[in-house]
Amino acid sequence: MKKVIDAYVERFGAENSPPPWQTFTIPHDPGQGNLHLVQRVFEGPFEASHPAKNIAATANLLKFDVLFSSASAPTPLTSSDLSKEISSVTESFAHRFSRILSPRAPFNKDKYIRFSKSLFSNLIGGIGYFYGDSVVDRSYAPEYDEENEGFWEETAEARSRGNAKGEGPSELFTSIPSRPFFPRGFLWDEGFHLLPILDWDVDLALEIIKSWFNLMDDDGWIGREQILGPEARSKVPPEFQTQYPHYANPPTLFLVLDAFLDKLEADNQSIKSTPNEASQQFISDIHTAHIDYPEAATQYLETLYPVLKRHYFWFRKTQWGDIRTYDREAYSSKEGYRWRGRTPQHILTSGLDDYPRPQPPHPGELHVDLISWMGMMTRSLKRIATSLREIDDAAEFAAYENAITRNIDDLHWDAKAQTYCDATIDDYEESVHVCHKGYISIFPFLTGLLPPDSPRLGAVLDLIADPEELWSDYGIRSLSKSEELYGTEENYWRSPVWMNINYLIVYRLLDVAQSSSPHRARAQRLYTDLRKNLVTNVYDQWEQTGFAWEQYNPETGAGQRTQHFTGWTSLVVKIMRMPDLSGAGGANRGVHDEL
């Protein structure tokens, strides 16, 4: 349709285009395909509604339904049947939503409930089944080990050899970030998508997780972007279509598995229904079979566990960082990690794309976000191994976890800057920190690796709370306002507020606020203020524009980049569902804790 409109504009000009019924008519130009379209043109007023305000003009409007009844149907479908079913489904959804995801104070008002329902409905509406071949470079070129200085030039040359080949077909059941703009599966997005979906339908979320792990190859690799089939590739520039088996992506599916284990543990502590009550609830609780029937949960985890381990050890094998060569002092000589796929401008594999990193890139780099993800994944696997009574495995993962948490401090904490930093090698072959304060700096906190009594937690909260650093009235900035690179070049992860990271911040602040931490009162204030700022701004932008956005401007709150981004921006639904702690004071963040 865009081609049609562009042709009319070119021919007649924007001010003299033909009437809408002609402009928006698709030309009759049939070709090959498996979908047939029937087009009818109606003249006259139609019902129209605003996507956010739900305002409808109804006077003298033409309304019609387009119905299809299969020849095998016992009776034809009528408009009355359709209206009845829509009403029934709407009522059922509203009832279930009020029980599971309805916002809590101060967002328990009609406007926020309608907003929350809209975003969550669009998130669920973005779940789909995808099938097709993919493009993969399995040349395993030695350059892809990225072991030499200047490795990014070598890898660029290796990629230019054109060793990519088609594989598959594969299938994927997944939710997507944005139906109009990103209609395909993204690995690190998926974990964030599934957190609210897990609350709504545990069994559905587990099916999606299983589908992702079914894509894993024999080594343990999963492609970070699933561009399946020619139609999917038509939406992606050629230079981004090829997937590489040494490229990782943040393992956010383990966040969902952790949340699933939390639900299992909570259910085990709750009062059980009698057999008769359980049978009566079966139909309404069909979404939670893996919670209601422990044997189903055990069977699921037993089936998935070997695949999870394979994925974990693939990370350890391919994303390792060099500690020994540079005589770095650390508790463990093995627990350091480095993203592969690095260029001077980007680490796309990290998910944080243009976030500032050490310059120039060096094979001796260590990345604090990656070791934090590894710690989170290790802890999750330890919990799963324990639940399955894999005693030896649980002990092994506990040892890895201890080494990782100790190495995070040994390798990445900068005492002078009072923050966590990436590490690199300088001109004198010495290991040095490169500190760009922002999301990277708080990753050990985001991934739950800082206990409430950590001596580093106060400095992390200082960084979050400071308006000259990360705090804004619209959420936590991706890069500190004091950084020289703040808001520069692409400015993708160099200032904007991102909902996925802000969700993790709110979630971890809530943990501290409900603990016996010496920082409890301050965390409670930060949690309350940040929760309010995030929800208010995302709602205001939705009300003004009708869209959830990919990111938000930290200076104005305006939605930016991709619109109709109802993937991880829908995490605001979970934030609204979190408890209201404002009764204990939330207006003054303060810079330091009270003694």
Side-chain angles (χ1 to χ4, degrees):
M1 184 173 288
K2 184 178 185 300
K3 293 180 180 179
V4 175
I5 296 172
D6 289 344
Y8 278 131
V9 170
E10 183 178 353
R11 182 176 177 184
F12 299 107
E15 302 300 324
N16 299 304
S17 291
W21 65 263
Q22 181 178 346
T23 304
F24 295 104
T25 299
I26 301 173
H28 181 63
D29 185 21
Q32 292 185 343
N34 58 4
L35 180 67
H36 296 278
L37 302 176
V38 177
Q39 181 172 243
R40 295 290 298 273
V41 177
F42 294 86
E43 291 188 64
F46 283 80
E47 183 177 70
S49 62
H50 187 283
K53 297 183 179 180
N54 199 28
I55 298 172
T58 58
N60 302 317
L61 296 183
L62 173 65
K63 303 180 182 179
F64 65 93
D65 295 319
V66 178
L67 305 175
F68 171 77
S69 293
S70 169
S72 61
T75 58
L77 181 66
T78 67
S79 291
S80 176
D81 296 333
L82 180 62
S83 297
K84 182 179 178 181
E85 290 301 318
I86 290 174
S87 177
S88 175
V89 170
T90 301
E91 290 177 10
S92 175
F93 173 82
H95 176 72
R96 183 171 175 79
F97 189 89
S98 67
R99 183 164 58 90
I100 295 174
L101 290 172
S102 188
R104 292 174 174 162
F107 308 112
N108 52 343
K109 301 178 177 66
D110 286 345
K111 66 177 185 179
Y112 291 114
I113 294 171
R114 180 166 46 84
F115 164 58
S116 187
K117 285 181 178 179
S118 175
L119 261 61
F120 182 71
S121 298
N122 276 283
L123 173 65
I124 290 288
I127 296 175
Y129 172 82
F130 299 85
Y131 180 87
D133 64 328
S134 56
V135 181
V136 181
D137 179 351
R138 290 194 183 272
S139 63
Y140 300 102
E143 293 90 340
Y144 291 157
D145 292 335
E146 301 183 11
E147 293 182 345
N148 302 320
E149 294 187 32
F151 62 80
W152 63 93
E153 296 172 343
E154 297 175 350
T155 57
E157 194 279 328
R159 290 194 300 272
S160 71
R161 296 172 195 156
N163 290 317
K165 297 179 180 179
E167 289 191 359
S170 303
E171 60 180 359
L172 177 63
F173 184 47
T174 184
S175 57
I176 60 176
S178 170
R179 293 200 295 275
F181 298 99
F182 296 111
R184 55 190 178 275
F186 289 79
L187 182 54
W188 97 291
D189 293 59
E190 188 67 287
F192 292 109
H193 298 168
L194 290 180
L195 289 171
I197 293 173
L198 184 78
D199 291 340
W200 180 260
D201 191 326
V202 171
D203 300 339
L204 174 63
L206 296 180
E207 279 297 311
I208 291 173
I209 290 174
K210 184 169 67 174
S211 183
W212 271 97
F213 281 106
N214 283 342
L215 293 171
M216 183 183 296
D217 69 8
D218 292 340
D219 295 325
W221 171 74
I222 303 174
R224 66 189 186 90
E225 188 171 348
Q226 293 299 316
I227 313 168
L228 303 181
E231 182 178 354
R233 285 193 288 277
S234 70
K235 299 278 288 184
V236 182
E239 63 270 25
F240 297 114
Q241 292 180 10
T242 302
Q243 303 297 298
Y244 297 89
H246 61 291
Y247 283 5
N249 217 204
T252 58
L253 293 178
F254 286 83
L255 293 173
V256 191
L257 292 170
D258 245 13
F260 173 52
L261 292 174
D262 290 341
K263 290 182 181 295
L264 285 174
E265 292 173 3
D267 187 70
N268 289 335
Q269 297 171 7
S270 65
I271 299 175
K272 299 294 185 181
S273 303
T274 65
N276 185 50
E277 289 172 333
S279 64
Q280 292 175 355
Q281 294 173 358
F282 176 75
I283 294 177
S284 61
D285 293 342
I286 197 170
H287 311 278
T288 57
H290 287 83
I291 300 296
D292 299 333
Y293 301 94
E295 63 275 13
T298 299
Q299 184 179 15
Y300 179 86
L301 290 173
E302 285 177 342
T303 302
L304 201 61
Y305 181 61
V307 184
L308 299 178
K309 286 177 60 179
R310 194 195 320 162
H311 192 47
Y312 176 78
F313 286 106
W314 174 87
F315 262 92
R316 293 180 65 87
K317 179 181 178 181
T318 64
Q319 310 299 302
W320 63 278
D322 194 344
I323 297 176
R324 293 177 178 173
T325 299
Y326 304 103
D327 296 324
R328 286 165 159 146
E329 295 184 5
Y331 171 79
S332 168
S333 62
K334 297 180 180 179
E335 300 301 335
Y337 294 92
R338 173 170 64 98
W339 295 109
R340 302 310 194 263
R342 171 93 153 93
T343 71
Q345 294 79 28
H346 300 103
I347 306 183
L348 298 178
T349 49
S350 74
L352 305 181
D353 296 18
D354 67 333
Y355 190 99
R357 302 284 186 163
Q359 294 294 347
H362 194 282
E365 281 180 24
L366 298 175
H367 299 134
V368 65
D369 53 329
L370 180 51
I371 192 174
S372 300
W373 285 121
M374 291 300 300
M376 181 278 296
M377 184 163 43
T378 305
R379 181 172 293 178
S380 179
L381 272 171
K382 182 187 72 174
R383 289 185 68 189
I384 295 171
T386 301
S387 72
L388 296 177
R389 295 182 172 81
E390 296 284 352
I391 306 304
D392 292 342
D393 283 3
E396 181 181 2
F397 290 127
Y400 291 149
E401 179 190 359
N402 178 58
I404 288 172
T405 53
R406 294 187 63 168
N407 270 22
I408 286 175
D409 275 359
D410 290 348
L411 296 171
H412 294 285
W413 177 256
D414 190 287
K416 182 178 180 181
Q418 284 292 288
T419 195
Y420 289 101
C421 309
D422 287 338
T424 191
I425 304 301
D426 66 12
D427 293 339
Y428 302 99
E429 293 295 298
E430 296 289 334
S431 181
V432 294
H433 289 139
V434 177
C435 303
H436 294 290
K437 291 183 179 180
Y439 287 166
I440 290 293
S441 314
I442 59 175
F443 247 88
F445 175 65
L446 299 179
T447 49
L449 301 180
L450 285 189
D453 60 351
S454 168
R456 316 296 188 204
L457 183 56
V460 169
L461 297 183
D462 285 345
L463 182 59
I464 291 172
D466 191 343
E468 295 304 312
E469 299 279 9
L470 300 189
W471 188 272
S472 84
D473 291 338
Y474 311 104
I476 303 304
R477 298 178 172 96
S478 44
L479 189 64
S480 169
K481 195 173 182 179
S482 67
E483 283 283 330
E484 182 180 356
L485 295 175
Y486 180 79
T488 58
E489 298 184 21
E490 294 174 35
N491 192 24
Y492 199 43
W493 291 86
R494 293 190 176 190
S495 77
V497 173
W498 289 84
M499 189 55 58
N500 60 331
I501 302 298
N502 273 266
Y503 167 78
L504 292 177
I505 296 170
V506 174
Y507 181 78
R508 298 305 175 189
L509 287 172
L510 178 60
D511 273 352
V512 178
Q514 294 180 328
S515 73
S516 58
S517 169
H519 305 286
R520 177 179 180 177
R522 188 180 186 203
Q524 187 171 305
R525 294 193 299 272
L526 284 169
Y527 163 82
T528 298
D529 291 348
L530 180 56
R531 178 172 176 257
K532 179 181 178 182
N533 288 352
L534 290 168
V535 174
T536 300
N537 186 61
V538 177
Y539 170 79
D540 286 346
Q541 292 301 307
W542 178 80
E543 180 74 11
Q544 293 171 25
T545 67
F547 296 110
W549 293 84
E550 183 179 8
Q551 55 177 225
Y552 294 86
N553 188 296
E555 311 303 330
T556 67
Q560 298 182 161
R561 300 277 182 165
T562 304
Q563 62 188 30
H564 200 76
F565 198 89
T566 49
W568 64 38
T569 299
S570 296
L571 284 165
V572 73
V573 172
K574 278 188 69 69
I575 294 174
M576 283 188 280
R577 181 63 176 171
M578 290 178 178
D580 176 23
L581 302 184
S582 60
N588 182 13
R589 296 188 310 279
V591 178
H592 299 288
D593 295 306
E594 299 88 357
L595 297 176

